[in-house]
Amino acid sequence: MEVLEASRLATTGGRTEAINRLRGLVGNPDHRIAAHAAYTLGRIYQEDNLFTNAISAYQRALDFGPLTGVAEDAARNLQLTIDSMQAHYGEGSATDAGHQWLEHIKHGRMKDAWKGIDRTTRLVLTQAWIVANERHPTLGGIDRDFLAQELAKAEPTHRLTAAFFATQLDELQNSYSAYDPETWGAAERPRPYGVDYEAVIMAETSGEPFMWEDGQELQTIFLLLRRRFTRWYIASFRAEILNPGWPPTSTPIDIQNITWRVPDSQDR
């Protein structure tokens, strides 16, 4: 009964109170009650995309044995959570792409980093550079639209590519000088936007996943990535969509945390 009440409390806005109650119930001497509490706790964490906490809770539910009534569901949801965590952090994920891109910047591999930037964003960066340097004699007599298109290519060959890349790399290395792949980890909760965008937030956490909440005082790196086909590309460096133009502009966006309800055995 107490577990059920806590579960209902979680669905009516009392999530923190529900979590505290369930944590206490996990220590109940009745293993059936303790297992149900751990399982319900896992479901709450899973709905909030708090992978590490959900995995720990489901594993605790399984520790109480197969006769508690929740072992089968706990095992199923445990695997679903592990799969979700792998999708968020593993090879081919937005988080993985963000780490690879930052490593290119850190080691001065501007050609590789440039290929990892979304094509629209590459155009915006070239336009911004041209606007900032429009009076420089090296740009004299060059059509700005032509130059922007040439420099925005994934592998530009224009004679001004070296100068452009040098400026971009210097700015990016200054912006992300604190990043260290050995000590910086990505926030645990996925932050999707629309169909093809996802925000990745990183901070110094000894390389471990961390749970970052809005308003938290912590030095972070924010990257907005865009998926094209099966690959993720850097789309923006703040919570905004970049728009090409003379000059380029940006549109602020609100990154929402997508939550989803984990089905209980009673729902099936």
Side-chain angles (χ1 to χ4, degrees):
M1 182 64 71
E2 290 179 280
V3 174
L4 183 58
E5 290 178 356
S7 181
R8 289 172 177 168
L9 183 62
T11 63
T12 57
R15 236 165 169 74
T16 300
E17 176 63 21
I19 288 172
N20 291 335
R21 290 187 187 184
L22 290 167
R23 282 176 174 170
L25 290 171
V26 172
N28 194 289
D30 185 328
H31 283 187
R32 183 177 175 83
I33 294 176
H36 275 257
Y39 169 71
T40 304
L41 194 58
R43 289 183 62 229
I44 293 173
Y45 286 136
Q46 187 179 3
E47 288 169 356
D48 290 343
N49 289 315
L50 299 176
F51 306 124
T52 302
N53 288 352
I55 289 171
S56 295
Y58 286 138
Q59 288 176 327
R60 177 59 67 200
L62 291 171
D63 287 342
F64 292 111
L67 302 179
T68 59
V70 296
E72 183 178 342
D73 288 331
R76 175 180 61 83
N77 285 351
L78 173 60
Q79 187 58 55
L80 287 173
T81 305
I82 292 172
D83 290 345
S84 295
M85 190 171 188
Q86 177 63 24
H88 181 54
Y89 289 111
E91 184 178 354
S93 67
T95 300
D96 181 50
H99 274 297
Q100 289 187 32
W101 186 79
L102 286 168
E103 286 203 59
H104 289 324
I105 296 300
K106 181 178 180 64
H107 296 291
R109 299 191 292 260
M110 189 59 200
K111 289 183 179 180
D112 293 323
W114 191 242
K115 293 177 186 177
I117 298 176
D118 184 71
R119 58 176 180 258
T120 299
T121 305
R122 294 200 305 262
L123 179 57
V124 166
L125 293 175
T126 59
Q127 288 175 329
W129 182 77
I130 292 169
V131 169
N133 295 277
E134 58 186 351
R135 296 187 178 181
H136 196 281
T138 57
L139 273 66
I142 304 176
D143 179 80
R144 66 180 186 178
D145 288 307
F146 169 77
L147 180 58
Q149 292 295 333
E150 286 297 305
L151 292 178
K153 291 179 179 178
E155 297 184 36
T157 58
H158 193 275
R159 63 179 177 82
L160 292 178
T161 299
F164 172 64
F165 272 9
T167 302
Q168 297 301 301
L169 181 60
D170 183 62
E171 292 179 357
L172 291 169
Q173 286 188 323
N174 286 335
S175 296
Y176 302 120
S177 59
Y179 174 77
D180 184 339
E182 299 298 323
T183 59
W184 281 63
E188 192 169 82
R189 180 177 293 160
R191 288 174 167 79
Y193 179 77
V195 175
D196 51 356
Y197 289 95
E198 183 169 324
V200 173
I201 300 173
M202 298 184 185
E204 187 174 5
T205 60
S206 299
E208 297 295 327
F210 73 101
M211 289 176 286
W212 183 87
E213 300 296 338
D214 293 338
Q216 184 175 351
E217 293 296 328
L218 191 66
Q219 182 182 11
T220 60
I221 291 174
F222 180 101
L223 295 173
L224 182 68
L225 286 92
R226 183 177 187 178
R227 180 163 48 197
R228 292 189 183 272
F229 300 103
T230 60
R231 286 193 58 188
W232 289 97
Y233 298 88
I234 305 300
S236 183
F237 314 100
R238 290 176 291 277
E240 59 187 22
I241 302 294
L242 302 179
N243 310 307
W246 301 103
T249 59
S250 62
T251 305
I253 59 175
D254 182 19
I255 300 295
Q256 297 291 331
N257 295 320
I258 304 300
T259 59
W260 51 285
R261 184 167 179 268
V262 181
D264 198 351
S265 56
Q266 297 176 354
D267 299 328
R268 298 193 300 274

